[in-house]
Amino acid sequence: MARGAAPNGAETEREKSKRVGALRQLAPFMRPYRVLVALAGFALVLTASLSLALPMAVRRVVDNFGTESDALLDKYFGAAVIIAALLALGTGLRYALVTTLGERVVADIRKAVFDRVIAMSPGFFERLMTGEVLSRITTDTTLILSVIGSSISVALRNVLIFLGGLALMLLTSAKLTGLVLLIVPLVIVPILVMGRRLRVLSRENQDWIAASSGNASEALTSVQTVQAFTHEAASRALFGDVTEKSYVVARRRISVRAVMTVLVMFLVFTGVVGVLWIGARDVRLGSMSSGELVQFVIYAVMVAGAVAALSEIWGELQRAAGATERLVELLEAEDAVSDPESPAKLKRPVQGEISFEKVTFSYPSRPQTAALDAVDLVIRPGETVALVGPSGAGKTTIVQLIQRFYDPQAGRVLLDGQDLKTLTRADFRREIALVPQDPVIFAASARDNIRFGHEEATDAEVEAAAKAAAAHEFISALPEGYDSPLGERGVLLSGGQKQRIAIARAILRDAPVLLLDEATSALDAESERAVQAAVDRLSEGRTTIVVAHRLATVKKADRIVVMEDGRVAATGTHDELVAGGGLYARLAKLQFTDGAMD
């Protein structure tokens, strides 16, 4: 990845990055927990108030030391212990409340982001790597947890101590307070100037971390391919390069933050020392008491410490602001495919008629290349139609548009005469069963993988579907039978076994529309015969669309649609198309496994 091109156009996004005000976008997630926020706020004010009360007790002890009775001094010290105990309890309560609030809010954010992303159409993931989405859900929410569960609370406490301490300093000595206030502009300037730079670097750092996660996710999910092509060294180098760039940006961010902290702390404490020197002269001249000076110094140290802490927390808030922006981008991302505001209701029972009317479509990542070009196609209820043609002809695209993973740029796709755009996707997808070319197996048991097609199915129904898909025998041979875990992405199964699990899943769904995208491509001859028999039984009374190269599958179709360059080149039965010559006859001769021309 070239350094000049930050991941996913991040440079452009950083230009629009907001300041800490972006954290206001967390408000909707905190609103349901107003009581928790109020209690945390009460504990916060209590601890800050008690902290500000301690110097007053110290002043009384210092001013009256040697002049008051031992009993009175004991009361002063006793009061200080009580204040300290209340302060400790309040601090513990504040910690428990804000940490609970942080965990609750972040859990809600993670769920909201996942709920949003899981419903996004495939076109969304053409623009954003899955690894980056996961990085935002994990790394970015961890930053927000740190801020809500700690930084904001500490920041507010320090703001209260700063304001309260400043007011009490003014009451203690207006002269010394005036001198202290002269230091404030010197402290604020580096915070504002360097804070802007810190915000940009924080966002850039997070972008490179996300790119690193995306790179690692892609390599690890394809680890067998990486190793088969001895690409480990190149994959290591690419991941190392992206990770190193993340580190370089992080180092710059750390340097800026360190310099800002050094400047602020030096200016603050130098000012305090100067003011203390002047106060000591006033005590010698008798214009203020020793207790007042001690009280003033304690407040000055508290205020200085609050400013120093705020300058440090500012960096955390900047990072969290960037993380919030990135998460809000996901929550507010526009999907190219969306449900209508007032959807029509799918007419049931579904007959299964599928119509393409002058459909033209290009994938978002290849807008100049038409995957389908003015396609007209009607598939009658209960009809089995085979789609054949060379790679890139548009066969799988038709299957994807039937599921409305994408919307065509022109034309309409209809189910039983209803435009899919007028229906909710969940409504009509319930009536479709899919067996993809590359079956997806989840890291769950064999039973749960099959039940994925119909969550309410009984164990008996699951096993019946597995038998129909010729999967029962190998599943039963697994160590724990149907309860055996299949591993991540089904690594414990062969390609043919994965496909039979996927077919069992589709059989169990029992939908009126069946989509088979190269469903038998990974099966051996014996398994294919068993599965083909199951598919034949399953296809009865259902609209079935088969994308296949195998002659045995194609010959049994009611109709064959030949695709070429995104268009329908010819339609007919196997015998009609072979007799007519042309593309289908050539494909039958060159590609079909039987090689028969009968």
Side-chain angles (χ1 to χ4, degrees):
M1 185 182 294
R3 178 64 191 89
N8 296 294
E11 291 291 349
T12 304
E13 294 175 350
R14 284 185 217 111
E15 290 293 328
K16 300 183 288 186
S17 183
K18 301 178 180 66
R19 293 185 174 84
V20 170
L23 293 173
R24 284 196 298 268
Q25 293 169 306
L26 298 175
F29 293 98
M30 299 180 71
R31 202 167 290 130
Y33 310 107
R34 294 186 189 90
V35 174
L36 202 57
V37 172
L39 290 172
F42 170 75
L44 185 69
V45 172
L46 175 65
T47 54
S49 301
L50 291 169
S51 297
L52 292 170
L54 272 174
M56 296 181 184
V58 173
R59 171 189 170 181
R60 288 185 174 276
V61 171
V62 171
D63 280 343
N64 297 305
F65 190 76
T67 61
E68 298 286 354
S69 65
D70 289 344
L72 190 56
L73 283 175
D74 290 344
K75 288 182 180 179
Y76 287 148
F77 280 108
V81 170
I82 291 171
I83 292 173
L86 291 173
L87 181 59
L89 287 171
T91 301
L93 178 63
R94 175 177 61 84
Y95 169 79
L97 291 170
V98 297
T99 304
T100 301
L101 176 65
E103 292 285 357
R104 180 67 268 170
V105 168
V106 165
D108 288 349
I109 292 173
R110 283 179 175 151
K111 288 193 288 187
V113 172
F114 182 81
D115 290 350
R116 174 66 175 159
V117 171
I118 196 68
M120 298 298 275
S121 63
F124 173 79
F125 296 97
E126 290 183 22
R127 304 188 303 272
L128 195 65
M129 290 180 67
T130 305
E132 180 162 349
V133 174
L134 293 175
S135 173
R136 295 190 186 193
I137 293 176
T138 54
T139 307
D140 288 356
T141 52
T142 299
L143 279 174
I144 292 173
L145 174 61
S146 172
V147 166
I148 297 177
S150 174
S151 299
I152 288 182
S153 169
V154 173
L156 291 174
R157 180 177 181 276
N158 280 289
V159 166
L160 290 174
I161 288 177
F162 173 78
L163 296 175
L166 205 58
L168 291 168
M169 282 168 61
L170 190 62
L171 290 173
T172 306
S173 173
K175 172 188 171 182
L176 295 182
T177 303
L179 293 172
V180 168
L181 291 177
L182 293 176
I183 305 169
V184 173
L186 296 176
V187 176
I188 296 298
V189 169
I191 291 177
L192 294 178
V193 173
M194 302 182 80
R196 291 193 188 96
R197 176 63 179 158
L198 194 61
R199 173 175 52 83
V200 173
L201 289 173
S202 296
R203 177 63 188 257
E204 188 175 357
N205 184 208
Q206 288 304 112
D207 285 330
W208 281 113
I209 289 173
S212 176
S213 297
N215 179 276
S217 174
E218 186 176 45
L220 292 175
T221 53
S222 309
V223 68
Q224 292 185 9
T225 303
V226 171
Q227 293 174 359
F229 286 89
T230 60
H231 202 270
E232 295 96 330
S235 295
R236 289 188 191 107
L238 182 59
F239 179 76
D241 181 56
V242 176
T243 303
E244 193 63 25
K245 285 172 179 173
S246 170
Y247 165 72
V248 169
V249 176
R251 191 175 60 190
R252 296 206 323 256
R253 173 181 58 79
I254 292 166
S255 298
V256 171
R257 182 170 171 180
V259 170
M260 183 174 73
T261 302
V262 168
L263 281 175
V264 170
M265 292 191 71
F266 174 76
L267 290 170
V268 167
F269 285 104
T270 300
V272 169
V273 170
V275 171
L276 181 59
W277 175 70
I278 294 171
R281 293 174 62 88
D282 287 344
V283 171
R284 290 183 63 186
L285 294 172
S287 57
M288 69 183 305
S289 69
S290 298
E292 287 174 324
L293 178 60
V294 171
Q295 178 177 313
F296 184 86
V297 168
I298 294 174
Y299 282 133
V301 169
M302 290 174 71
V303 169
V307 172
L310 287 170
S311 69
E312 191 171 335
I313 291 168
W314 186 256
E316 291 293 331
L317 296 180
Q318 293 284 358
R319 293 187 70 197
T324 301
E325 287 175 328
R326 287 157 53 84
L327 288 166
V328 169
E329 281 171 10
L330 289 181
L331 290 171
E332 296 180 350
E334 292 293 330
D335 196 355
V337 179
S338 58
D339 292 334
E341 290 185 7
S342 302
K345 194 165 183 63
L346 180 64
K347 298 171 186 173
R348 286 183 169 85
V350 172
Q351 302 302 310
E353 181 182 80
I354 297 170
S355 305
F356 282 66
E357 297 180 351
K358 299 290 181 189
V359 171
T360 297
F361 171 72
S362 298
Y363 285 97
S365 57
R366 306 188 298 276
Q368 305 305 320
T369 304
L372 294 179
D373 186 5
V375 169
D376 278 313
L377 178 65
V378 177
I379 301 169
R380 294 181 292 275
E383 185 179 21
T384 296
V385 172
L387 303 176
V388 300
S391 296
K395 308 183 296 296
T396 298
T397 301
I398 284 182
V399 170
Q400 291 184 320
L401 291 185
I402 289 172
Q403 297 167 93
R404 205 184 165 213
F405 287 151
Y406 300 90
D407 280 334
Q409 281 80 39
R412 299 192 302 166
V413 181
L414 301 96
L415 175 61
D416 288 352
Q418 292 180 273
D419 190 339
L420 295 185
K421 288 185 179 180
T422 66
L423 306 167
T424 64
R425 288 165 290 175
D427 192 18
F428 70 80
R429 284 177 185 168
R430 291 191 187 96
E431 309 301 327
I432 299 173
L434 169 70
V435 181
Q437 181 176 1
D438 185 16
V440 175
I441 304 298
F442 299 94
S445 68
R447 191 187 311 280
D448 289 340
N449 265 282
I450 296 173
R451 192 176 272 141
F452 195 84
H454 179 34
E455 293 180 11
E456 293 79 26
T458 64
D459 289 350
E461 289 171 333
V462 169
E463 292 183 21
K467 289 175 182 175
H472 177 72
E473 188 174 338
F474 81 80
I475 292 175
S476 299
L478 294 172
E480 298 174 49
Y482 279 83
D483 294 318
S484 298
L486 302 183
E488 186 178 11
R489 301 173 72 235
V491 294
L492 301 179
L493 302 179
S494 69
Q497 289 172 334
K498 290 181 189 177
Q499 212 141 24
R500 279 180 275 174
I501 291 285
I503 290 169
R505 185 185 293 161
I507 290 172
L508 187 64
R509 192 164 179 83
D510 193 24
V513 177
L514 180 62
L515 305 177
L516 304 171
D517 190 357
E518 298 283 8
T520 60
S521 63
L523 301 180
D524 55 71
E526 184 178 354
S527 295
E528 182 182 5
R529 278 193 295 273
V531 170
Q532 191 61 55
V535 169
D536 290 342
R537 291 193 299 272
L538 182 63
S539 300
E540 293 177 6
R542 289 179 172 81
T543 303
T544 307
I545 299 172
V546 183
V547 177
H549 291 294
R550 300 244 181 163
L551 187 60
T553 305
V554 172
K555 286 176 69 175
K556 292 184 179 180
D558 298 322
R559 187 158 47 111
I560 297 168
V561 176
V562 184
M563 303 290 298
E564 185 176 18
D565 297 328
R567 300 184 182 91
V568 175
T571 61
T573 64
H574 169 75
D575 293 335
E576 290 170 351
L577 292 170
V578 168
L583 175 62
Y584 181 81
R586 294 198 305 275
L587 290 173
K589 183 178 181 181
L590 296 172
Q591 297 180 26
F592 292 160
T593 54
D594 285 354
M597 294 294 295
D598 57 352

